[in-house]
Amino acid sequence: MGYRTMIPFFLVPALIFLLPGFTQAQDVSLTANLSAEEIRPTEQLEVIITLNDPADVYFLSAEVVYDPQVLRFISAEHIGLMEGGLSVAEPLSQNRIGAAVVRTSALEEPASGNLMRMLFEVRRYVDSGESLIRFENVELVNSEDEPIPFEPPDDALFEVEEAITDIRLAIPANNDITEGDSFFVLADVFASGVTATTGNDERLQLWVALSEENTDPSGWDEGLWRLMEFAGTEEAYYRYEEEVAFQTPLGTYYIAVRAELDENGELFYGGLGDFWDPQTNPSATLTISEQPPFRYSIAAWDFDDETLTVSQSLPQNDDAVIEVIGAGNIGFAAGASGRAASVSGWSFDPEIEKYWQVIVSTVGLESIQLSSKQSSTDAGPRDFVLQVSLDGVDWTDVSGGTVVLQNNFTSGVLDQLSLPGFTYDQEDVHIRWLLNSAERVDESGGSVSGQSRIDDILITGTNPNAERVEVWPGDTMNNGVVNEEDVLVLSAYWNSRGPLAVYQTRAWEARPVENWLPIEATFADANGDGVVNQSDLLPIGLNFGQSRITGKQVWPDEAIASVPLSRMNAGEEAVLYIFADEEIPLTGLSMRINISGVDEYDWNISSVRGLEWSEDWKDEGRLLEFNTRIDEGISSAIAHRGVARAGSKTNELAEVTIVAVSDWEADAAAELVRVSVVNGREIMTLANAVISTDADGNITDPPVELPELTQLLQNFPNPFNPTTTIRYTLAQPSDVRVDVYNALGARVATLIQEAQAAGEYAVPFDATYLSSGVYFYRLQTQNYTRTRSMVLIK
């Protein structure tokens, strides 16, 4: 734009009288020419006033009328015939500009050409459509200060096009989440003539991308962009959103968005606040960090069932108990919530130590913390101190472990108190709450004669060696198929807690998750919500019959026992009894029964129940029950909800009643395909079992069959001292190796190293010369490797 001298608009007429010139009568026309008849928001619009016929032009003025919501006036200047003259422009009102140009000397001869150029900008947030610039009170004067007859310029018409004029991220500049969390990117877009009204969202497409490089997003790989969903309106903007954290690896990413209108191929890129710019409107960042270490309940006591054994624990502490040394016998009383352990006999004697004590294993764990709540009656002991030891002889005070009791459970509280580092990864950690003064709670000076109580003991730790494993939702046995046996794993690890799955999904696909302690519990959390409970039945039901080996549903068809069934009329029932071939302890069982010889629609399940071993638990609402009809078979499971430490020993397992839906045209048979039992945490598939229509259990000899799958089964018994049996099956001949490792990963025994035929095997293991602790045994064949844990307790 050229240099111009600005003269106040009201002085221009006076200036004209001072200038010399000549007079000439003229008939001329003026036109207003636009730089574009179609223009986009934010673009500049140039208007040039042109004299079309030769004239002794000296001065031009006009009032320029426009829509201020569409245009913003920038400037006016003299050009062409007015070159070297003067120009002035001032606002007269909100929508009107007074503009004038004048020469400083007369033309040598009449001429035609451009007189004035005005510059406007189309506003950014304008609606699309037609608009105009009008010229009023136009004055054209010659060098003799005489009016020149003229035709005024017509209105200048132009069209504001539909266009994207703003796209921006609507999230903070820096965003930090933990792996597995959701993160939605929000973006706002304004398009003239589009976003001002609803119902146009399909005309716009927005994408978001995450890049590891902080570069211009227009150069990012096309594969990074993912389409966003319309999420409503925000004033004159449309808002779009998209979740971007799902299955995105750990790291820091740069976020930008882009938009396109009507698939016209023109892309606009947005950053923080506006169109992307590396300095003013850069990309946002998203940092995805690892989940913090999960804190396991090593052992916990709540005493609500009025027992001294742990209420919840890792398997290595299933038998841990609380005891009192030096004081009286433990009873139970009202606690912080529910019941608490309670003891009298706390009179102080410096020669006799009196304390509560627990002994737990912290093998495989570190960062050990303890919480507890204590109280005393008014005449009970006041002062205790928390101590730890590895041998029960040499004790160390725990920093912050001084406890002063009152007649409540809110004063004598230890909350997540950190234990010394020497208690990490130890087979036996002795923990005691030691009485350390003769003071009573009421501080009366009398001797201690009341009771002291303890409740809500919780010992936790983290696993420093956690690794990622793959869980297939529903395959809690981790043997490649989903069937009724998977329900037993829920019983064995009921209420166990561990790391949340990074991505919780029930679809039949591998889901990565940090392995739990013990690792078997990892697979029991079938839905990935961090706890084993009734919700984990759903993935078993959804994926029942699936196999990651074959990629499709599979059903066994070889029976271990069968019993003939006479033809029945509609409504008649047949009762089937399931027996083990010897008495076994169990807290749950699962079974698969096929009915052959009749159409699958000719019969149905009437009832399935466990026999005497399960009746008390069922009455108390403590049984987990699962029944399903799949094609020609019944799949059922009945098990105690959680680890039951006193399984009944019996060979009478279950009673199944089926009913004829229609008249049977022929005799049939009930085939017992599979029976498994759980006892505490031990799960075992029975090689021999009986199905009978006789409640006394007349036995039908089972046919000989080869195993369908190669599997490493849980050792039995477990825990053991000092011998146990390791069982496995081979679906085909193979070279076989069975090794035993200690908790540090060192091999302590090789039990088998030879070629073996397909079949079932039981290998004894004698740990007489090994110390107590957690051990691992591994089966390796040509096509299969599996490791399980076992616990030696001496």
Side-chain angles (χ1 to χ4, degrees):
M1 188 177 297
Y3 173 82
R4 70 172 183 251
T5 301
M6 301 299 294
I7 300 175
F9 186 74
F10 62 87
L11 295 179
V12 173
L15 179 63
I16 296 172
F17 289 103
L18 302 177
L19 300 175
F22 54 84
T23 302
Q24 180 178 343
Q26 298 166 318
D27 274 322
V28 299
S29 65
L30 296 172
T31 57
N33 302 302
L34 300 181
S35 57
E37 293 183 357
E38 295 182 351
I39 192 165
R40 290 183 173 185
T42 72
E43 292 182 346
Q44 291 186 344
L45 178 66
E46 185 181 68
V47 183
I48 295 178
I49 305 298
T50 301
L51 178 65
N52 299 310
D53 305 296
D56 173 26
V57 65
Y58 200 87
F59 169 78
L60 169 69
S61 71
E63 293 181 10
V64 184
V65 182
Y66 61 95
D67 186 345
Q69 293 184 343
V70 175
L71 296 176
R72 181 179 69 86
F73 175 73
I74 298 176
S75 64
E77 63 177 337
H78 47 282
I79 60 173
L81 298 180
M82 298 298 183
E83 195 70 42
L86 302 171
S87 59
V88 67
E90 284 190 353
L92 302 179
S93 64
Q94 186 180 12
N95 68 333
R96 188 180 294 263
I97 294 292
V101 293
V102 62
R103 290 183 56 81
T104 57
S105 62
L107 291 170
E108 294 181 0
E109 60 181 13
S112 61
N114 296 333
L115 304 178
M116 179 169 59
R117 178 170 59 192
M118 288 174 288
L119 195 61
F120 295 86
E121 180 184 68
V122 182
R123 293 192 181 274
R124 185 174 191 177
Y125 302 106
V126 66
D127 202 356
S128 62
E130 188 177 76
S131 189
L132 59 81
I133 299 173
R134 177 177 292 114
F135 303 91
E136 297 179 353
N137 300 322
V138 180
E139 187 175 4
L140 192 64
V141 178
N142 65 21
S143 60
E144 297 296 328
D145 191 22
E146 296 173 343
I148 300 175
F150 68 92
E151 294 180 10
D154 294 333
D155 294 342
L157 300 176
F158 63 93
E159 183 87 14
V160 177
E161 296 180 336
E162 294 179 338
I164 294 171
T165 62
D166 191 7
I167 176 174
R168 62 194 186 194
L169 288 165
I171 57 175
N174 301 300
N175 305 275
D176 297 285
I177 64 170
T178 299
E179 184 181 23
D181 292 343
S182 295
F183 183 77
F184 283 82
V185 173
L186 305 177
D188 293 333
V189 62
F190 182 93
S192 58
V194 179
T195 59
T197 56
T198 59
N200 290 319
D201 51 283
E202 292 186 358
R203 297 184 58 192
L204 285 161
Q205 285 187 309
L206 267 73
W207 295 264
V208 60
L210 276 64
S211 173
E212 296 179 359
E213 302 295 330
N214 187 19
T215 56
D216 187 336
S218 64
W220 290 357
D221 187 273
E222 184 63 29
L224 297 177
W225 296 97
R226 62 186 84 178
L227 200 62
M228 303 181 76
E229 294 288 333
F230 178 67
T233 59
E234 293 287 328
E235 297 180 350
Y237 286 81
Y238 280 179
R239 171 158 287 184
Y240 291 77
E241 66 178 13
E242 180 67 14
E243 203 286 320
V244 298
F246 184 73
Q247 294 186 342
T248 300
L250 303 178
T252 295
Y253 300 91
Y254 297 91
I255 306 173
V257 289
R258 75 180 186 189
E260 181 186 28
L261 177 62
D262 293 333
E263 299 183 10
N264 61 11
E266 187 174 14
L267 299 173
F268 296 85
Y269 294 84
L272 290 166
D274 211 324
F275 289 121
W276 189 90
D277 181 271
Q279 302 302 322
T280 59
N281 306 301
S283 302
T285 64
L286 173 65
T287 299
I288 305 175
S289 304
E290 284 186 328
Q291 294 176 337
F294 181 78
R295 185 158 289 280
Y296 288 90
S297 293
I298 297 172
W301 287 260
D302 61 23
F303 306 108
D304 290 348
D305 59 357
E306 296 196 346
T307 64
L308 304 180
T309 308
V310 289
S311 308
Q312 182 183 348
S313 68
L314 294 178
Q316 62 212 54
N317 291 309
D318 278 351
D319 297 321
V321 297
I322 189 169
E323 57 184 337
V324 169
I325 308 299
N329 295 322
I330 300 179
F332 301 94
S337 59
R339 306 296 283 170
S342 178
V343 172
S344 57
W346 292 98
S347 57
F348 185 74
D349 184 340
E351 302 298 323
I352 301 176
E353 292 183 327
K354 299 185 177 184
Y355 52 89
W356 300 96
Q357 176 177 264
V358 297
I359 303 173
V360 297
S361 167
T362 63
V363 169
L365 298 151
E366 66 178 18
S367 184
I368 311 301
Q369 294 181 352
L370 179 143
S371 299
S372 66
K373 297 177 181 177
Q374 290 177 261
S375 75
S376 287
T377 59
D378 288 341
R382 187 190 69 179
D383 298 323
F384 284 79
V385 62
L386 187 73
Q387 296 181 329
V388 291
S389 171
L390 297 184
D391 57 10
V393 176
D394 297 318
W395 293 90
T396 300
D397 290 352
V398 176
S399 177
T402 298
V403 187
V404 179
L405 307 188
Q406 297 294 326
N407 193 357
N408 58 60
F409 277 98
T410 59
S411 299
V413 173
L414 298 176
D415 185 22
Q416 300 180 61
L417 191 67
S418 295
L419 301 190
F422 67 78
T423 63
Y424 300 176
D425 195 28
Q426 298 295 320
E427 290 187 4
D428 291 313
V429 176
H430 300 248
I431 304 171
R432 72 178 183 179
W433 294 257
L434 173 69
L435 176 67
N436 65 342
S437 87
E439 291 292 331
R440 293 166 35 133
V441 165
D442 60 14
E443 300 180 356
S444 64
S447 62
V448 172
S449 58
Q451 294 182 334
S452 184
R453 300 170 185 173
I454 194 167
D455 197 5
D456 293 346
I457 301 170
L458 174 61
I459 304 167
T460 66
T462 61
N463 176 13
N465 300 311
E467 297 180 352
R468 286 287 177 88
V469 297
E470 288 187 345
V471 171
W472 288 74
D475 182 15
T476 68
M477 292 280 287
N478 194 34
N479 60 1
V481 296
V482 181
N483 57 36
E484 71 284 345
E485 287 181 302
D486 292 295
V487 178
L488 301 186
V489 183
L490 304 189
S491 170
Y493 296 99
W494 189 266
N495 208 33
S496 293
R497 296 177 184 272
L500 283 170
V502 175
Y503 306 108
Q504 297 174 32
T505 173
R506 295 188 291 266
W508 183 244
E509 60 186 15
R511 180 183 67 213
V513 65
E514 177 185 327
N515 68 277
W516 292 24
L517 293 177
I519 192 171
E520 288 80 8
T522 316
F523 309 99
D525 181 24
N527 68 348
D529 64 356
V531 60
V532 180
N533 57 22
Q534 66 280 351
S535 298
D536 296 302
L537 282 171
L538 179 57
I540 295 176
L542 290 174
N543 297 314
F544 200 86
Q546 293 286 1
S547 169
R548 67 175 186 262
I549 299 171
T550 64
K552 61 182 180 180
Q553 291 187 338
V554 293
W555 305 108
D557 53 10
E558 296 294 331
I560 59 174
S562 64
V563 62
L565 298 174
S566 300
R567 67 182 63 188
M568 295 193 295
N569 295 322
E572 291 184 336
E573 293 184 336
V575 182
L576 308 172
Y577 299 92
I578 312 301
F579 299 90
D581 61 347
E582 60 182 354
E583 287 195 342
I584 54 174
L586 77 159
T587 56
L589 70 87
S590 66
M591 56 191 169
R592 169 76 180 183
I593 300 172
N594 288 344
I595 306 298
S596 62
V598 293
D599 191 276
E600 61 184 275
Y601 301 107
D602 289 340
W603 64 275
N604 209 340
I605 305 171
S606 178
S607 67
V608 178
R609 71 180 186 91
L611 296 179
E612 186 175 352
W613 62 269
S614 68
E615 289 177 356
D616 289 345
W617 292 335
K618 184 174 180 64
D619 293 342
E620 296 167 2
R622 295 163 64 188
L623 270 188
L624 182 68
E625 298 181 89
F626 176 90
N627 296 299
T628 187
R629 266 289 312 269
I630 302 293
D631 299 334
E632 75 280 7
I634 305 167
S635 290
S636 298
I638 307 163
H640 183 265
R641 292 175 182 259
V643 177
R645 296 176 177 81
S648 300
K649 196 171 185 180
T650 181
N651 71 328
E652 299 176 353
L653 304 183
E655 175 190 287
V656 179
T657 303
I658 64 171
V659 60
V661 176
S662 57
D663 294 344
W664 291 6
E665 301 297 329
D667 292 341
E671 300 172 340
L672 184 61
V673 175
R674 180 174 51 241
V675 179
S676 297
V677 296
V678 59
N679 183 42
R681 296 193 194 273
E682 305 305 315
I683 299 173
M684 179 174 62
T685 299
L686 301 184
N688 298 302
V690 177
I691 185 169
S692 175
T693 54
D694 186 344
D696 293 329
N698 292 327
I699 297 175
T700 302
D701 293 333
V704 177
E705 66 164 340
L706 294 177
E708 181 183 2
L709 297 171
T710 296
Q711 297 185 74
L712 176 63
L713 306 176
Q714 189 65 51
N715 66 302
F716 186 84
N718 187 36
F720 64 96
N721 180 26
T723 61
T724 188
T725 299
I726 295 172
R727 294 180 171 87
Y728 58 93
T729 63
L730 300 178
Q732 57 190 19
S734 177
D735 292 330
V736 176
R737 181 176 180 131
V738 178
D739 296 308
V740 179
Y741 300 85
N742 63 19
L744 298 177
R747 186 167 64 243
V748 297
T750 297
L751 305 182
I752 297 293
Q753 189 173 5
E754 63 186 21
Q756 293 183 331
E760 299 178 357
Y761 294 87
V763 180
F765 173 53
D766 188 343
T768 300
Y769 298 103
L770 297 176
S771 58
S772 297
V774 178
Y775 290 84
F776 301 90
Y777 57 99
R778 174 181 294 174
L779 169 66
Q780 292 178 280
T781 72
Q782 291 164 298
N783 299 309
Y784 178 92
T785 299
R786 176 71 195 275
T787 302
R788 285 183 174 272
S789 63
M790 56 185 173
V791 179
L792 172 62
I793 298 178
K794 292 187 175 181

